Amino acid sequence: DMLEDEQESQLLTVCLTNRAFAYLKLGHHEEALADATKAAEVNPKYTKAWFRKGLALHALKRYREAAQTLGKALDLEPKNDQIK
């Protein structure tokens, strides 16, 4: 059913985003990028997914992509000081 599918995609998004955070803390930036990218694909409106993806790209010295990705996060939450 549709509600169940939505709940599953929300759970998957949160799990992937949380794991991306853990990978970032461990210095596993490629893995963090993969999880955050997947999370943003599953739920494009989930700001944390874009934020973590941007942080991973920055850690990988892919600065232009990081700036664009963090810009998407800021578009979703313009008042979020953590993104700025």
Side-chain angles (χ1 to χ4, degrees):
D1 100 2
M2 212 163 137
L3 178 61
E4 195 173 297
D5 289 346
E6 187 175 319
Q7 289 172 336
E8 284 180 16
S9 70
Q10 286 177 351
L11 179 61
L12 177 61
T13 302
V14 170
C15 289
L16 286 168
T17 305
N18 287 347
R19 190 168 69 176
F21 179 73
Y23 279 141
L24 282 168
K25 289 292 184 187
L26 292 169
H28 299 285
H29 304 125
E30 291 285 352
E31 293 88 343
L33 178 59
D35 278 357
T37 299
K38 180 65 177 170
E41 288 170 3
V42 172
N43 186 352
K45 293 182 180 176
Y46 194 63
T47 306
K48 279 187 183 179
W50 293 104
F51 182 61
R52 302 263 161 82
K53 181 177 179 178
L55 293 179
L57 287 164
H58 186 272
L60 291 165
K61 298 180 174 34
R62 291 164 59 179
Y63 301 119
R64 183 167 289 138
E65 290 171 86
Q68 291 170 342
T69 302
L70 291 169
K72 288 181 187 177
L74 198 56
D75 287 345
L76 289 169
E77 281 189 42
K79 295 181 180 178
N80 188 325
D81 290 333
Q82 191 177 14
I83 299 168
K84 294 177 185 177

